[in-house]
């Protein structure tokens, strides 16, 4: 599984857009890699890793999307003339650039097959032939889905409103950030619920206040790390700056709370590719919201 390291970023770029969430996309990647590890142990021969992992991730994402009752794909119309060349024309380049720059969440508005084809072609630059094999379609069907998906995505981008202003920082997150930046590790440990869980990418899940408390012991060894409240996909998160002079965060973490104590920590230190696609907005300076807000 060490060979998957260089593929994780690509898998996440695909799964995040397929799910419409960088956080949900990482969950799919983790699940797919776990399933692949089990399958490899049972396989007589090692498969071609890249297409095999993409198929596992694709199928796992589809399972989750079906559970959300995502709308069915629209019927395919006649295929458009879409180039599949090493040097595409300027319009092809423009459409691919637009897809790459589109917010991850907007892909969820496309019908599922259009979504998959546009991501694979315009974001990951897969060939039409490889896309057809992965999705079990003909090349002409791939072209049709690509043409319609591109058109719909441009409409979605044109209609998209500007990003809403962030809400006030919650008192709980403001307290966590303040304690962390003051290196008050005992104060942070006091916030942990007895059954708190810590998830860090492929590392084993830590469970319980004593074990999770080691999380802060490790961070105490890193100099210059600073936190700041932020928002991703409407979710309040915490941006992590590895150096206080950095202009952009290196990654983020998010917390779940129960009865005023931390019940879950998700730290993306070991999955930094997530921040590349995340529309992360730092919270505006100001007073924290009341606990009841």
């Amino acid at each position: 599984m060490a060979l998957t390291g260089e593929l994780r970023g690509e898998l996440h770029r695909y799964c995040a857009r397929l799910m419409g969430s960088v956080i949900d996309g990482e969950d799919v990647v983790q699940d797919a890699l776990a399933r692949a590890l089990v399958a490899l142990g049972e396989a007589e021969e090692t498969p071609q890793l890249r297409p095999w992992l993409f198929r596992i991730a694709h199928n796992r994402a589809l399972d989750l999307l079906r559970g959300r009752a995502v709308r069915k794909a629209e019927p395919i119309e006649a295929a458009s003339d879409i180039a599949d060349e090493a040097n595409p024309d300027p319009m092809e380049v423009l459409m691919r650039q637009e897809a790459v720059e589109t917010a991850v969440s907007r892909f969820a508005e496309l019908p599922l097959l259009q979504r998959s084809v546009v991501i694979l072609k315009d974001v990951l630059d897969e060939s039409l032939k490889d896309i057809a094999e992965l999705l079990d379609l003909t090349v002409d069907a791939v072209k049709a889905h690509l043409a319609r998906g591109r058109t719909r995505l441009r409409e979605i981008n044109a209609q998209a409103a500007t990003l809403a202003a962030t809400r006030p920082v919650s008192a709980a997150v403001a307290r966590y950030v303040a304690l962390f930046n003051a290196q008050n590790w005992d104060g942070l440990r006091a916030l942990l619920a007895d059954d708190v869980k810590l998830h860090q990418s492929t590392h084993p899940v830590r469970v319980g206040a004593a074990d999770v408390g080691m999380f802060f012991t490790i961070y105490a060894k890193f100099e210059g790390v600073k936190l700041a409240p932020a928002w991703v996909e409407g979710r309040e998160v915490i941006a992590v700056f590895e150096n206080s002079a950095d202009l952009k965060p290196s990654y983020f973490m998010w917390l779940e709370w129960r009865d005023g104590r931390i019940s879950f920590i998700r730290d993306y230190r070991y999955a930094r590719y997530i921040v590349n696609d995340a529309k992360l907005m730092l919270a505006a300076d100001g007073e924290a919201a009341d606990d009841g807000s």
Side-chain angles (χ1 to χ4, degrees):
M1 292 302 290
L3 297 174
T4 67
E6 61 186 30
L7 295 176
R8 289 171 61 90
E10 281 190 286
L11 284 170
H12 181 262
R13 294 185 79 190
Y14 178 62
C15 293
R17 289 166 173 80
L18 203 60
M19 301 300 296
S21 163
V22 294
I23 292 175
D24 291 347
E26 175 62 10
D27 288 342
V28 173
V29 171
Q30 296 294 335
D31 194 10
L33 292 177
R35 290 166 183 257
L37 183 60
V38 173
L40 277 177
E42 301 173 349
E44 296 182 359
E45 296 182 2
T46 302
Q48 288 187 329
L49 198 61
R50 191 176 189 279
W52 182 66
L53 285 176
F54 264 88
R55 183 173 293 278
I56 293 175
H58 174 81
N59 290 338
R60 181 55 184 150
L62 260 57
D63 288 342
L64 295 174
L65 290 169
R66 291 189 187 103
R68 295 180 181 178
V70 173
R71 63 187 179 186
K72 295 181 180 179
E74 299 173 7
I76 300 176
E77 294 177 349
S80 300
D81 292 330
I82 295 174
D84 190 27
E85 303 170 353
N87 298 307
D89 62 36
M91 184 57 69
E92 281 277 305
V93 174
L94 181 62
M95 286 187 282
R96 293 181 188 180
Q97 181 179 357
E98 183 172 1
V100 170
E101 295 175 353
T102 293
V104 168
S105 59
R106 293 181 194 164
F107 283 89
E109 298 183 43
L110 293 177
L112 186 53
L113 277 176
Q114 291 181 21
R115 192 186 322 170
S116 296
V117 170
V118 170
I119 298 167
L120 289 167
K121 182 60 181 173
D122 290 345
V123 179
L124 297 177
D125 198 24
E126 298 290 311
S127 70
L128 296 178
K129 179 177 179 293
D130 288 345
I131 296 172
E133 291 178 357
L134 174 63
L135 302 180
D136 196 21
L137 298 170
T138 65
V139 170
D140 283 345
V142 169
K143 290 182 177 181
H145 284 302
L146 181 59
R148 300 189 68 191
R150 283 172 168 174
T151 299
R152 178 61 185 138
L153 195 61
R154 299 194 75 173
E155 293 172 352
I156 292 169
N157 284 334
Q159 296 169 0
T162 56
L163 292 172
T166 59
R167 289 169 283 174
V169 179
S170 68
V173 165
R175 183 183 180 192
Y176 181 94
V177 168
L179 289 171
F180 193 106
N181 289 341
Q183 298 187 354
N184 187 342
W185 311 119
D186 288 337
L188 288 169
R189 292 187 184 97
L191 294 178
L192 299 175
D194 293 338
D195 59 348
V196 63
K197 294 182 179 179
L198 167 66
H199 191 285
Q200 292 180 296
S201 189
T202 56
H203 288 243
V205 176
R206 292 181 181 267
V207 181
D211 196 17
V212 175
M214 295 297 295
F215 176 68
F216 303 117
T217 302
I218 294 171
Y219 265 103
K221 300 176 182 179
F222 303 142
E223 296 183 3
V225 176
K226 294 294 181 182
L227 306 187
W231 296 86
V232 169
E233 299 170 354
R235 190 179 320 209
E236 189 176 27
V237 299
I238 298 170
V240 182
F241 294 82
E242 291 192 295
N243 189 306
S244 57
D246 291 344
L247 298 178
K248 295 182 179 180
S250 300
Y251 55 98
F252 63 89
M253 61 179 74
W254 64 273
L255 314 176
E256 292 183 8
W257 302 79
R258 186 179 66 243
D259 299 328
R261 301 178 73 186
I262 301 170
S263 59
F264 189 90
I265 302 175
R266 180 68 68 91
D267 179 55
Y268 291 101
R269 178 179 178 83
Y270 303 106
R272 301 183 179 211
Y273 45 79
I274 291 180
V275 80
N276 294 332
D277 287 323
K279 296 294 183 181
L280 191 148
M281 296 181 292
L282 296 178
D285 293 334
E287 295 182 359
D290 294 332
D291 286 326
S293 64

